[in-house]
Amino acid sequence: MTYRPTFHLSPPQGRLNDPNGVTLIGDQLHVFYQHDPCFPHAAKRTGWGHAVTTIGGEEGLGQWRHLPDALYPDFPYDTHGCYSGSSVVHDGEVMLFYTGNVKEDGCRPTTQNLVRVEDLEGPMGGVYHRAPENPLIDGPALGFTAHYRDPHVTQNEDGSWRMVLGAQREEERGAVVLYESPDLLNWSFAGALQFEGLDPRVEAAYMWECPNLLRMRDHATGQWREVLVLCPQYPGSDECGYVVGSLDGLWFRVELQFRALDFGHQFYAPQMVAEDDGDALSLGWMGLPARDDTPTLQAEGWVHQLTLPRRLQLVDGQLRTELLLPTDPAGMVVHREALRGQPWEADLVDDAGGVGAHVAWRPGEAGRGTLSVTVGGDERRAECAQGELVVCADGAALEVVAGDGEVAFSSAVFGTEGAPWGAVEVREIGHNRG
């Protein structure tokens, strides 16, 4: 009896949040993550945890192997936290970028820093060297507050580099700022991205966290587009979504309006890494800021988990999600269903007879319909096309993907006192399905 998932990454102990530094080398997927190993028994001292798994091949997704924590806040520019960031593999060298956080005299200086990784695939999971040039970016640009964090670094077509940061303007509105570099060491401030056609509600958010900016190829048109994922924060709520468009300097022309990347109950701060074919690999945090009271903490001393690795494809201007699953999913329940023109519903049931979630499909017109996922009386819903539905229940993690990847739902679910999930019990509604 345990709440701990088999194939979803959870921390050995303490608190996990944002995935960081997603790095793919061959079939080895290294994932770093925000980790407070002493939570909730000591002051917050966020570092980076580290785990590795395999993807692809005959066995598909493997189980996670935990490695020693990679970063701990022990330098003058990060004494109160090594916050989120990303990784770059360049000329065979793995480099991590992260935000250093310091809290002193009522101030909160933030800096952007570099770590060079030696022997990532060795038995200790790497040796981590803070760059002597740190901090690379020593504080926010003029006009921005100390809420200035989460570097996501990618390479441009001409070989130069760009970094986007989540930021807050002095008037307490969110922004994404752009830095440029020829060599990953020397960074110049280009400015804040300017948007044409962005939802005014998103523009009004008081902070934009965890931006990811990638060029992706649209499978329907063959065209390359900029995809910006961001997490706008509002008083009392947090979101995660994306826009698609074109970028000319700092001018982002929105072609697809802001859309949720995941419609579930717990999903935030995803990290994306580009693949050579124009797709992306991604993992998200199955949690939300300041919401840590779950049965796993009291019963087993850990809290939160990450989604399964996902492949994201751009199709007709929208992101589609494919869960990367093991060939032998022993230890979790995987249910597949073809959604058609007939209503359908199901319960996720544990071995003690408890119901962890309710999933329902209501067909509409023109081959589309509405899928809903209800956990603890809280219903989330999204419109999608008919097509394949995949339900994956793994310990405290539930993921649902429908409409051939058009919509995804990530939610924390808890079996009766940690009882394992038994099955997805389907109930047909009305006549037999066509």
Side-chain angles (χ1 to χ4, degrees):
M1 304 281 280
T2 178
Y3 296 107
R4 192 177 291 279
T6 302
F7 292 96
H8 289 72
L9 177 57
S10 60
Q13 75 290 320
R15 183 180 189 269
L16 167 152
N17 58 296
D18 307 2
N20 302 143
V22 176
T23 307
L24 182 63
I25 300 178
D27 65 352
Q28 299 292 298
L29 181 65
H30 291 262
V31 174
F32 302 89
Y33 58 90
Q34 297 280 273
H35 189 208
D36 276 311
C38 296
F39 180 87
H41 305 294
K44 184 178 181 181
R45 298 275 287 178
T46 304
W48 281 28
H50 181 199
V52 63
T53 188
T54 56
I55 62 172
E58 293 184 0
E59 296 183 359
L61 179 70
Q63 294 190 31
W64 291 97
R65 178 166 59 94
H66 285 277
L67 296 162
D69 280 8
L71 301 180
Y72 187 78
D74 54 3
F75 275 65
Y77 46 78
D78 64 19
T79 54
H80 293 92
C82 301
Y83 281 16
S84 291
S86 60
S87 73
V88 164
V89 181
H90 182 55
D91 290 339
E93 183 179 18
V94 178
M95 290 171 274
L96 308 178
F97 293 84
Y98 75 96
T99 297
N101 188 54
V102 178
K103 297 178 182 178
E104 55 184 20
D105 299 327
C107 298
R108 188 181 180 180
T110 51
T111 59
Q112 314 311 319
N113 304 288
L114 168 65
V115 177
R116 298 184 182 276
V117 184
E118 177 187 347
D119 198 24
L120 178 67
E121 298 180 89
M124 294 299 292
V127 180
Y128 298 84
H129 305 282
R130 304 293 210 288
E133 297 87 352
N134 285 344
L136 304 184
I137 300 174
D138 190 8
L142 187 66
F144 294 89
T145 74
H147 293 287
Y148 205 76
R149 54 183 177 265
D150 311 331
H152 187 255
V153 179
T154 54
Q155 191 168 30
N156 298 314
E157 291 181 276
D158 64 3
S160 64
W161 301 88
R162 70 183 182 189
M163 174 194 294
V164 288
L165 294 169
Q168 183 186 63
R169 302 177 190 270
E170 287 182 342
E171 60 269 28
E172 297 189 352
R173 289 180 55 205
V176 170
V177 298
L178 177 68
Y179 281 78
E180 298 173 333
S181 173
D183 57 9
L184 293 169
L185 283 175
N186 299 284
W187 293 91
S188 58
F189 177 67
L193 297 187
Q194 306 296 314
F195 293 89
E196 178 183 310
L198 185 62
D199 185 336
R201 179 174 178 270
V202 176
E203 292 242 45
Y206 69 81
M207 175 66 189
W208 292 354
E209 288 197 303
C210 303
N212 289 231
L213 180 61
L214 284 185
R215 294 185 73 245
M216 298 182 67
R217 184 178 62 84
D218 193 307
H219 283 251
T221 66
Q223 295 179 322
W224 289 81
R225 287 290 178 263
E226 297 282 354
V227 178
L228 174 66
V229 173
L230 68 155
C231 297
Q233 294 185 302
Y234 313 94
S237 68
D238 307 277
E239 281 191 86
C240 177
Y242 68 97
V243 293
V244 177
S246 61
L247 184 63
D248 183 7
L250 295 173
W251 196 253
F252 195 110
R253 293 178 175 83
V254 175
E255 298 169 3
L256 174 75
Q257 191 48 262
F258 184 82
R259 173 181 168 86
L261 184 57
D262 188 292
F263 294 86
H265 300 77
Q266 284 87 22
F267 184 86
Y268 198 72
Q271 181 149 124
M272 300 164 64
V273 59
E275 296 187 288
D276 292 338
D277 58 1
D279 297 340
L281 288 177
S282 179
L283 297 94
W285 174 34
M286 294 184 70
L288 290 169
R291 293 169 223 184
D292 302 321
D293 187 15
T294 75
T296 65
L297 188 60
Q298 291 76 29
E300 299 174 4
W302 62 273
V303 62
H304 301 313
Q305 57 219 326
L306 300 184
T307 66
L308 293 173
R310 301 173 169 192
R311 176 161 287 109
L312 300 180
Q313 295 185 330
L314 188 63
V315 181
D316 278 330
Q318 294 189 8
L319 290 178
R320 291 182 178 265
T321 298
E322 174 193 0
L323 299 179
L324 301 188
L325 295 166
T327 302
D328 179 10
M332 67 179 179
V333 172
V334 177
H335 177 86
R336 298 180 185 272
E337 184 80 16
L339 299 180
R340 297 287 185 256
Q342 183 70 23
W344 174 95
E345 63 183 11
D347 288 331
L348 171 64
V349 179
D350 65 39
D351 283 352
V355 176
H358 178 76
V359 182
W361 163 252
R362 297 294 182 267
E365 298 179 353
R368 299 186 66 78
T370 300
L371 188 81
S372 65
V373 177
T374 304
V375 177
D378 183 359
E379 182 187 62
R380 304 295 173 92
R381 60 175 61 186
E383 181 186 315
C384 65
Q386 296 180 8
E388 185 182 47
L389 168 86
V390 180
V391 178
C392 173
D394 179 25
L398 171 68
E399 294 191 71
V400 179
V401 173
D404 296 329
E406 186 178 349
V407 297
F409 297 77
S410 299
S411 302
V413 292
F414 305 100
T416 306
E417 296 183 351
W421 302 111
V424 174
E425 296 184 351
V426 178
R427 295 189 299 276
E428 298 183 358
I429 301 172
H431 301 291
N432 292 331
R433 283 170 284 173

